[in-house]
Amino acid sequence: MKKQFLLLLLFLLSGCITVSTTDNIFTEALSTTLPSPPSHPYRDAIESSKNLAVDFEATEIHEQNYLKAMAHLKTGDFEKAETLLGEVLENANDTCLLNRADQLLSDLAVFQGKWKDVTSCEDNILVAKAYSTAPDEQWSFPPNPLTLPMEKSISGTPMIKVSVNGRQYNFWIDTGASMTVLSSNIAKECGVMRIESDEIALGTATNDISFFPGIIQKMEIGDIAIVNHPAIIIDQSQLTFKLFKIFTFLKIDGIIGENAIRKMHLKMDFKNDLISLSQPEKRDSIERNLIWITQPLAILHTSEGREVNFFFDSGANVTSLSTNFLTKQKLDPVKNKTAIKMGAGGKEKKQNTVFENLVLILDQYQLNFSSISCENEHLDKNEIIVRDGVLGCDIFEDKIIEIDYTNGRLDIQNE
């Protein structure tokens, strides 16, 4: 399967928007100590790395270095990871390992905005070429944390007011979008310039669409000012959703993507509809539960103590499982159902299996799901990471959520 730019996963409405209910998830403080996890059953270094089991005892030196690089990514040390991946790329002979190291290095360069360092992956190169000559991005924060009103979209995704070149709009806060997104009509209104005349293909949750790379000359979130912010421009028709193809029920002006979110400390109060934004400060000796390896991943645990990795997507309205989760914990299905997944580019029907009474642990909080769906998806053997599910915005209801990419933290409080 062709890898689309950045695995740019715009799960704008991941799953049927009528599924999520406030009483489906009950959150409580963890009252017991998690048991020691069972030993992992992985056959080789590649399979273990795809599941982030970086303690696998590989015998070959280049496999060891690849696993060490993944371990450094889990702790947020990108520099050490890049060094080890470079050694693998220079010295290994195994084609599979070489391809993975090459792809991961390319994705890391894009994630960090090191456009001139992107040398592989056709889709990444096309975007990097466009942004490599763009003016440097600059951020300006007020001295104290900024508190702003926050709204929720029809799917529950948080939204805030954003000023683009002096004009104000409602933007989604979507951790599942790799880059900030602008609707084409908004870009035209605000004079946001395209920096590439040719469209580039984009893979989304539901379809393949095209976009233009752009630069927002000035984007303001309250008193936070961002100059020369990289964004992608998508045709407005792909960000407009209609009922029976007639009645517009959702129109997205823009999305604050991961390339902006990771440079801020966000504290969202969903009970009082407020958001606090500030400049992140690096802290030492922090145990990370939010990492980036090709995508933002929340580290959770099953009730058996096994570590599982969920794609953290605040643009998805429901938390769901992937088929890989079922290899780690046995669950008895209750029923099958058809769900509609909506995203930039359209919608599609998916066959899901429903399970009941699942417990997931996020640090000291226990998430009790009365029901949860598993999308019957095909596992791609070439994926760098095989995730165990999607952690959606349904866990936000009436909670305080903190997102801090700098320190690798996703924290949840009941009040």
Side-chain angles (χ1 to χ4, degrees), residues 183-220:
S183 176
S184 58
N185 64 314
I186 302 301
K188 185 176 180 180
E189 285 179 13
C190 300
V192 174
M193 57 183 180
R194 298 176 180 176
I195 58 174
E196 179 65 46
S197 58
D198 296 328
E199 288 183 308
I200 299 175
L202 164 70
T204 73
T206 55
N207 212 334
D208 288 345
I209 60 175
S210 298
F211 70 94
F212 290 97
I215 291 289
I216 300 176
Q217 292 92 327
K218 188 172 185 180
M219 186 168 88
E220 294 170 287

Short mmCIF file of all heavy atoms in Angstrom, two decimals, residues 183-220:
data_model
loop_
_atom_site.label_atom_id
_atom_site.label_comp_id
_atom_site.label_asym_id
_atom_site.label_seq_id
_atom_site.Cartn_x
_atom_site.Cartn_y
_atom_site.Cartn_z
N SER A 183 -9.30 25.40 4.86
CA SER A 183 -10.23 25.24 3.75
C SER A 183 -9.83 26.23 2.66
O SER A 183 -9.40 27.35 2.94
CB SER A 183 -11.66 25.50 4.23
OG SER A 183 -12.56 25.45 3.15
N SER A 184 -9.98 25.84 1.40
CA SER A 184 -9.52 26.67 0.29
C SER A 184 -10.21 28.04 0.26
O SER A 184 -9.58 29.05 -0.08
CB SER A 184 -9.76 25.95 -1.05
OG SER A 184 -11.14 25.62 -1.21
N ASN A 185 -11.49 28.09 0.63
CA ASN A 185 -12.17 29.39 0.62
C ASN A 185 -11.64 30.32 1.71
O ASN A 185 -11.55 31.53 1.52
CB ASN A 185 -13.69 29.20 0.76
CG ASN A 185 -14.10 28.58 2.08
OD1 ASN A 185 -13.49 27.60 2.52
ND2 ASN A 185 -15.11 29.13 2.73
N ILE A 186 -11.27 29.74 2.86
CA ILE A 186 -10.68 30.54 3.94
C ILE A 186 -9.30 31.04 3.52
O ILE A 186 -8.95 32.21 3.76
CB ILE A 186 -10.58 29.73 5.24
CG1 ILE A 186 -11.97 29.21 5.65
CG2 ILE A 186 -9.96 30.56 6.35
CD1 ILE A 186 -13.00 30.27 5.90
N ALA A 187 -8.53 30.18 2.90
CA ALA A 187 -7.20 30.57 2.43
C ALA A 187 -7.30 31.74 1.45
O ALA A 187 -6.50 32.69 1.50
CB ALA A 187 -6.50 29.39 1.78
N LYS A 188 -8.30 31.68 0.58
CA LYS A 188 -8.49 32.74 -0.41
C LYS A 188 -8.90 34.04 0.27
O LYS A 188 -8.38 35.13 -0.04
CB LYS A 188 -9.54 32.33 -1.44
CG LYS A 188 -9.72 33.32 -2.58
CD LYS A 188 -10.71 32.79 -3.60
CE LYS A 188 -10.89 33.79 -4.75
NZ LYS A 188 -11.86 33.27 -5.77
N GLU A 189 -9.83 33.96 1.24
CA GLU A 189 -10.28 35.15 1.96
C GLU A 189 -9.13 35.84 2.69
O GLU A 189 -9.08 37.07 2.76
CB GLU A 189 -11.36 34.77 2.99
CG GLU A 189 -12.72 34.45 2.41
CD GLU A 189 -13.71 34.06 3.50
OE1 GLU A 189 -13.38 34.27 4.68
OE2 GLU A 189 -14.78 33.55 3.16
N CYS A 190 -8.23 35.04 3.23
CA CYS A 190 -7.16 35.58 4.09
C CYS A 190 -5.87 35.86 3.33
O CYS A 190 -4.90 36.34 3.93
CB CYS A 190 -6.87 34.61 5.22
SG CYS A 190 -8.28 34.29 6.26
N GLY A 191 -5.84 35.53 2.06
CA GLY A 191 -4.64 35.77 1.28
C GLY A 191 -3.49 34.85 1.66
O GLY A 191 -2.32 35.24 1.56
N VAL A 192 -3.80 33.63 2.10
CA VAL A 192 -2.75 32.67 2.43
C VAL A 192 -2.14 32.16 1.13
O VAL A 192 -2.84 31.67 0.25
CB VAL A 192 -3.30 31.49 3.26
CG1 VAL A 192 -2.23 30.42 3.46
CG2 VAL A 192 -3.81 32.00 4.61
N MET A 193 -0.85 32.26 1.02
CA MET A 193 -0.20 31.95 -0.24
C MET A 193 0.15 30.47 -0.36
O MET A 193 0.60 29.83 0.59
CB MET A 193 1.07 32.78 -0.39
CG MET A 193 2.08 32.62 0.72
SD MET A 193 3.49 33.72 0.49
CE MET A 193 4.48 33.32 1.93
N ARG A 194 -0.10 29.94 -1.56
CA ARG A 194 0.40 28.61 -1.89
C ARG A 194 1.89 28.73 -2.21
O ARG A 194 2.32 29.68 -2.85
CB ARG A 194 -0.34 28.04 -3.10
CG ARG A 194 -1.83 27.85 -2.90
CD ARG A 194 -2.46 27.37 -4.20
NE ARG A 194 -3.90 27.17 -4.07
CZ ARG A 194 -4.69 26.83 -5.08
NH1 ARG A 194 -4.17 26.66 -6.31
NH2 ARG A 194 -5.98 26.66 -4.88
N ILE A 195 2.65 27.75 -1.79
CA ILE A 195 4.08 27.77 -2.11
C ILE A 195 4.45 26.69 -3.11
O ILE A 195 5.61 26.47 -3.40
CB ILE A 195 4.93 27.63 -0.83
CG1 ILE A 195 4.59 26.34 -0.07
CG2 ILE A 195 4.77 28.83 0.07
CD1 ILE A 195 5.50 26.08 1.11
N GLU A 196 3.43 26.04 -3.65
CA GLU A 196 3.63 25.03 -4.68
C GLU A 196 2.44 25.07 -5.61
O GLU A 196 1.29 25.06 -5.16
CB GLU A 196 3.78 23.63 -4.06
CG GLU A 196 3.96 22.51 -5.03
CD GLU A 196 5.27 22.60 -5.80
OE1 GLU A 196 6.32 22.86 -5.19
OE2 GLU A 196 5.21 22.43 -7.03
N SER A 197 2.68 25.15 -6.91
CA SER A 197 1.59 25.29 -7.87
C SER A 197 0.90 23.97 -8.16
O SER A 197 -0.25 23.95 -8.60
CB SER A 197 2.11 25.88 -9.18
OG SER A 197 3.16 25.07 -9.72
N ASP A 198 1.59 22.85 -7.91
CA ASP A 198 1.02 21.54 -8.20
C ASP A 198 0.41 20.93 -6.94
O ASP A 198 0.96 21.05 -5.84
CB ASP A 198 2.09 20.59 -8.75
CG ASP A 198 2.62 21.06 -10.08
OD1 ASP A 198 1.86 21.67 -10.85
OD2 ASP A 198 3.83 20.84 -10.36
N GLU A 199 -0.72 20.25 -7.10
CA GLU A 199 -1.36 19.55 -5.99
C GLU A 199 -0.56 18.31 -5.61
O GLU A 199 0.12 17.71 -6.44
CB GLU A 199 -2.79 19.15 -6.37
CG GLU A 199 -3.75 20.31 -6.45
CD GLU A 199 -5.16 19.85 -6.74
OE1 GLU A 199 -5.33 19.09 -7.72
OE2 GLU A 199 -6.08 20.23 -6.01
N ILE A 200 -0.67 17.92 -4.33
CA ILE A 200 0.00 16.74 -3.81
C ILE A 200 -1.05 15.81 -3.24
O ILE A 200 -2.01 16.25 -2.61
CB ILE A 200 1.03 17.12 -2.74
CG1 ILE A 200 2.11 18.04 -3.35
CG2 ILE A 200 1.69 15.88 -2.13
CD1 ILE A 200 3.10 18.56 -2.34
N ALA A 201 -0.88 14.50 -3.47
CA ALA A 201 -1.85 13.51 -2.99
C ALA A 201 -1.79 13.40 -1.49
O ALA A 201 -0.74 13.51 -0.86
CB ALA A 201 -1.58 12.16 -3.63
N LEU A 202 -2.95 13.17 -0.89
CA LEU A 202 -3.08 13.06 0.56
C LEU A 202 -3.96 11.88 0.90
O LEU A 202 -5.05 11.72 0.36
CB LEU A 202 -3.70 14.35 1.12
CG LEU A 202 -4.25 14.33 2.54
CD1 LEU A 202 -3.10 14.21 3.51
CD2 LEU A 202 -5.04 15.58 2.82
N GLY A 203 -3.49 11.02 1.81
CA GLY A 203 -4.30 9.91 2.30
C GLY A 203 -5.03 10.31 3.55
O GLY A 203 -4.41 10.81 4.49
N THR A 204 -6.34 10.13 3.62
CA THR A 204 -7.13 10.45 4.80
C THR A 204 -7.78 9.19 5.34
O THR A 204 -7.56 8.09 4.85
CB THR A 204 -8.21 11.50 4.48
OG1 THR A 204 -9.25 10.87 3.71
CG2 THR A 204 -7.63 12.66 3.69
N ALA A 205 -8.63 9.37 6.33
CA ALA A 205 -9.30 8.23 6.94
C ALA A 205 -10.24 7.54 5.96
O ALA A 205 -10.54 6.35 6.12
CB ALA A 205 -10.09 8.69 8.17
N THR A 206 -10.72 8.26 4.97
CA THR A 206 -11.77 7.69 4.13
C THR A 206 -11.48 7.71 2.64
O THR A 206 -12.16 7.03 1.89
CB THR A 206 -13.09 8.47 4.34
OG1 THR A 206 -12.83 9.87 4.08
CG2 THR A 206 -13.58 8.32 5.76
N ASN A 207 -10.48 8.48 2.21
CA ASN A 207 -10.32 8.65 0.77
C ASN A 207 -8.96 9.25 0.48
O ASN A 207 -8.22 9.62 1.37
CB ASN A 207 -11.43 9.56 0.23
CG ASN A 207 -11.82 9.20 -1.20
OD1 ASN A 207 -11.03 8.64 -1.94
ND2 ASN A 207 -13.06 9.53 -1.56
N ASP A 208 -8.63 9.34 -0.81
CA ASP A 208 -7.46 10.06 -1.24
C ASP A 208 -7.91 11.38 -1.84
O ASP A 208 -8.78 11.41 -2.72
CB ASP A 208 -6.68 9.26 -2.29
CG ASP A 208 -5.95 8.07 -1.69
OD1 ASP A 208 -5.82 8.03 -0.46
OD2 ASP A 208 -5.53 7.19 -2.46
N ILE A 209 -7.33 12.47 -1.36
CA ILE A 209 -7.65 13.79 -1.89
C ILE A 209 -6.33 14.50 -2.20
O ILE A 209 -5.26 13.95 -2.00
CB ILE A 209 -8.50 14.62 -0.91
CG1 ILE A 209 -7.74 14.83 0.40
CG2 ILE A 209 -9.83 13.97 -0.66
CD1 ILE A 209 -8.46 15.74 1.36
N SER A 210 -6.43 15.73 -2.66
CA SER A 210 -5.23 16.50 -2.99
C SER A 210 -5.20 17.78 -2.18
O SER A 210 -6.23 18.27 -1.71
CB SER A 210 -5.20 16.82 -4.49
OG SER A 210 -5.13 15.63 -5.26
N PHE A 211 -4.01 18.35 -2.03
CA PHE A 211 -3.87 19.59 -1.28
C PHE A 211 -2.72 20.40 -1.88
O PHE A 211 -1.90 19.91 -2.64
CB PHE A 211 -3.61 19.32 0.20
CG PHE A 211 -2.25 18.74 0.49
CD1 PHE A 211 -1.18 19.57 0.82
CD2 PHE A 211 -2.03 17.38 0.44
CE1 PHE A 211 0.07 19.05 1.08
CE2 PHE A 211 -0.78 16.84 0.70
CZ PHE A 211 0.28 17.68 1.02
N PHE A 212 -2.69 21.66 -1.48
CA PHE A 212 -1.59 22.56 -1.83
C PHE A 212 -0.84 22.93 -0.55
O PHE A 212 -1.46 23.30 0.45
CB PHE A 212 -2.10 23.84 -2.49
CG PHE A 212 -2.67 23.65 -3.86
CD1 PHE A 212 -4.04 23.52 -4.03
CD2 PHE A 212 -1.85 23.61 -4.97
CE1 PHE A 212 -4.59 23.36 -5.29
CE2 PHE A 212 -2.38 23.44 -6.24
CZ PHE A 212 -3.75 23.31 -6.40
N PRO A 213 0.49 22.85 -0.53
CA PRO A 213 1.24 23.37 0.61
C PRO A 213 1.11 24.89 0.67
O PRO A 213 1.11 25.56 -0.38
CB PRO A 213 2.70 22.97 0.30
CG PRO A 213 2.61 21.93 -0.76
CD PRO A 213 1.37 22.22 -1.54
N GLY A 214 0.96 25.42 1.86
CA GLY A 214 0.82 26.86 2.02
C GLY A 214 1.54 27.36 3.25
O GLY A 214 1.98 26.57 4.11
N ILE A 215 1.68 28.66 3.35
CA ILE A 215 2.27 29.31 4.51
C ILE A 215 1.30 30.37 5.01
O ILE A 215 0.90 31.27 4.26
CB ILE A 215 3.62 29.97 4.18
CG1 ILE A 215 4.68 28.92 3.87
CG2 ILE A 215 4.09 30.86 5.32
CD1 ILE A 215 5.15 28.12 5.07
N ILE A 216 0.89 30.25 6.29
CA ILE A 216 0.06 31.29 6.90
C ILE A 216 1.00 32.38 7.41
O ILE A 216 1.81 32.13 8.31
CB ILE A 216 -0.78 30.73 8.06
CG1 ILE A 216 -1.71 29.62 7.55
CG2 ILE A 216 -1.59 31.84 8.71
CD1 ILE A 216 -2.50 28.93 8.65
N GLN A 217 0.88 33.56 6.83
CA GLN A 217 1.81 34.63 7.19
C GLN A 217 1.72 34.97 8.68
O GLN A 217 2.74 35.19 9.33
CB GLN A 217 1.53 35.88 6.35
CG GLN A 217 1.87 35.71 4.87
CD GLN A 217 0.67 35.24 4.05
OE1 GLN A 217 -0.17 34.48 4.55
NE2 GLN A 217 0.57 35.67 2.80
N LYS A 218 0.49 35.02 9.23
CA LYS A 218 0.35 35.26 10.66
C LYS A 218 -0.91 34.58 11.18
O LYS A 218 -2.01 34.86 10.73
CB LYS A 218 0.28 36.76 10.97
CG LYS A 218 0.33 37.06 12.47
CD LYS A 218 0.47 38.54 12.76
CE LYS A 218 0.66 38.81 14.25
NZ LYS A 218 0.80 40.25 14.55
N MET A 219 -0.71 33.67 12.12
CA MET A 219 -1.82 32.99 12.77
C MET A 219 -1.77 33.33 14.25
O MET A 219 -0.71 33.22 14.89
CB MET A 219 -1.72 31.47 12.57
CG MET A 219 -2.93 30.70 13.10
SD MET A 219 -2.97 28.97 12.54
CE MET A 219 -1.98 28.20 13.82
N GLU A 220 -2.91 33.75 14.79
CA GLU A 220 -2.96 34.16 16.19
C GLU A 220 -4.01 33.34 16.94
O GLU A 220 -5.14 33.19 16.48
CB GLU A 220 -3.28 35.65 16.30
CG GLU A 220 -2.20 36.56 15.74
CD GLU A 220 -2.65 38.00 15.65
OE1 GLU A 220 -3.48 38.30 14.75
OE2 GLU A 220 -2.20 38.81 16.46
#
